[in-house]
Amino acid sequence: MAAAAGLDVHLHPLVLINISDHVVRFRSARRSERVLGALLGAQEGRRVDVHNSFELVCVESGGQRSLDLEFFQQRLSQYLEVFPRYEFLGWYSTGPQPEEADKALHKKIQEVGANENPFALLVDADKMSREKASQSEELPVKVYDATIHIEQGEATVTWNEVPYIIDTLEAERIAVNHVAKSATTAAAGYSSDFTQHTSGLSNSVVMLSNRIKELLEHMKDVKEGRAPKNQEVLRQTLSICQALQSVHPSSVKQEFCSEFNDATLVVLLATLTKVCSNTSDVLDKFQLAYDRKHRPRHHYPFG
């Protein structure tokens, strides 16, 4: 058993990102079949690092899945040519646990993948959707190792769950952070950090304006007798008005003008630098053309 053997399985972020992308594309295309792919990585002693993955083409008929062996061998050779240190480690799919049909699939992959004991990684996509609202930190991912027993002349497959940890290298952390920021930006409709910042400020100002309007409407209703007087609300409103009066408009305006002038000065300096650069290019071209025009020509007789 893998757990008893003390294998140290390390999953890297690229594998999880590839599988998630595979599942999302299948669901967007309204495809109900399970995804299937191959796992690549390196194994040194008892440490197994799953670094990369690629999709597999399969056909389901009667509950059985058959692989496109030509596509599998071609794609595997391409990956191993680019990453000679990697090797085929196993396969991935979706589901809470291995199914009966996975045993035949596992045996076929074991035959064509040149790996005597490939791993199986399953992602419970339905559990991920159910726990999305709760923001669960537990990944719906399980790694299984298959043990083959010979019983009455037939080979039977037993699945054993293997513990794993998420491991990242420095380059992977930078890439994952960039992907996470890009996804958040795309989901919110922002095109840059500046746009995101200004949109946040704009939303805050709009919210403040709406609340001030609500306070004014409440004060008008109290003054005209349409609403009862609430001393606590009146005291809080008075404190807000006094806090606003403590801010001097002249100092705020002066600070704003100072920042505006600094920003405008930076823009003007950048424009002057660009103009100087363009002028220098024009002078260089003119000098080159002038020298060619007035360069003395030497005529050499032929023969």
Side-chain angles (χ1 to χ4, degrees):
M1 295 173 59
L7 290 179
D8 190 12
V9 180
H10 295 249
L11 292 181
H12 289 258
L14 181 58
V15 179
L16 302 177
I17 293 175
N18 289 342
I19 298 175
S20 301
D21 176 69
H22 196 178
V23 173
V24 170
R25 283 189 286 107
F26 263 52
R27 290 194 170 186
S28 299
R30 300 187 182 279
R31 300 176 61 178
S32 59
E33 64 267 25
R34 300 166 63 194
V35 302
L36 183 65
L39 301 175
L40 301 176
Q43 182 172 359
E44 296 180 2
R46 298 186 181 277
R47 179 187 173 99
V48 180
D49 285 274
V50 186
H51 289 281
N52 208 337
S53 64
F54 63 87
E55 302 173 17
L56 294 178
V57 178
C58 63
V59 179
E60 290 195 15
S61 60
Q64 299 291 332
R65 290 192 290 181
S66 58
L67 288 175
D68 187 341
L69 300 181
E70 182 180 357
F71 175 83
F72 172 70
Q73 296 290 354
Q74 181 181 2
R75 184 58 59 89
L76 180 61
S77 61
Q78 291 173 349
Y79 269 85
L80 296 183
E81 184 178 357
V82 178
F83 304 101
R85 192 173 61 88
Y86 290 175
E87 59 180 301
F88 174 71
L89 296 177
W91 55 278
Y92 72 81
S93 186
T94 52
Q97 58 187 3
E99 299 179 358
E100 188 65 26
D102 293 336
K103 295 182 179 180
L105 175 65
H106 184 82
K107 292 179 182 179
K108 191 63 177 179
I109 292 178
Q110 187 177 10
E111 294 174 2
V112 301
N115 190 329
E116 297 180 355
N117 190 20
F119 288 95
L121 188 149
L122 295 182
V123 178
D124 192 351
D126 295 333
K127 181 180 178 181
M128 183 168 53
S129 300
R130 292 192 304 266
E131 294 184 352
K132 184 178 181 180
S134 61
Q135 299 294 329
S136 175
E137 296 183 357
E138 182 181 358
L139 291 176
V141 177
K142 291 185 179 180
V143 179
Y144 292 92
D145 178 38
T147 304
I148 300 179
H149 302 280
I150 305 298
E151 296 180 358
Q152 299 178 355
E154 295 184 358
T156 59
V157 179
T158 304
W159 302 103
N160 307 303
E161 187 175 348
V162 181
Y164 66 90
I165 61 175
I166 305 297
D167 194 5
T168 58
L169 303 176
E170 183 65 27
E172 291 175 330
R173 283 194 291 270
I174 296 173
V176 170
N177 187 30
H178 177 72
V179 170
K181 286 185 176 180
S182 299
T184 304
T185 301
Y190 303 129
S191 58
S192 64
D193 292 339
F194 176 76
T195 306
Q196 182 178 358
H197 177 68
T198 53
S199 298
L201 292 177
S202 176
N203 293 335
S204 300
V205 172
V206 170
M207 184 180 298
L208 177 62
S209 176
N210 293 335
R211 293 187 177 182
I212 291 176
K213 289 180 180 178
E214 292 180 359
L215 287 176
L216 289 175
E217 292 294 332
H218 177 71
M219 292 295 104
K220 290 179 180 179
D221 293 341
V222 171
K223 184 177 181 181
E224 296 177 1
R226 292 194 299 265
K229 291 184 180 180
N230 189 323
Q231 300 298 329
E232 181 66 22
V233 174
L234 293 176
R235 281 195 294 269
Q236 292 181 0
T237 305
L238 179 62
S239 63
I240 292 174
C241 295
Q242 291 176 348
L244 292 175
Q245 291 177 358
S246 62
V247 180
H248 298 287
S250 57
S251 61
V252 174
K253 184 177 181 180
Q254 182 179 0
E255 184 178 356
F256 172 77
C257 292
S258 177
E259 292 184 1
F260 179 79
N261 291 335
D262 292 341
T264 306
L265 179 61
V266 171
V267 173
L268 291 176
L269 289 175
T271 304
L272 289 175
T273 303
K274 188 175 181 179
V275 170
C276 291
S277 177
N278 294 336
T279 305
S280 178
D281 293 339
V282 171
L283 291 176
D284 291 340
K285 293 177 182 179
F286 177 79
Q287 187 72 22
L288 183 61
Y290 180 81
D291 290 344
R292 285 183 178 179
K293 184 176 180 181
H294 295 82
R295 184 179 300 170
R297 298 181 179 180
H298 302 280
H299 299 279
Y300 299 96
F302 296 95

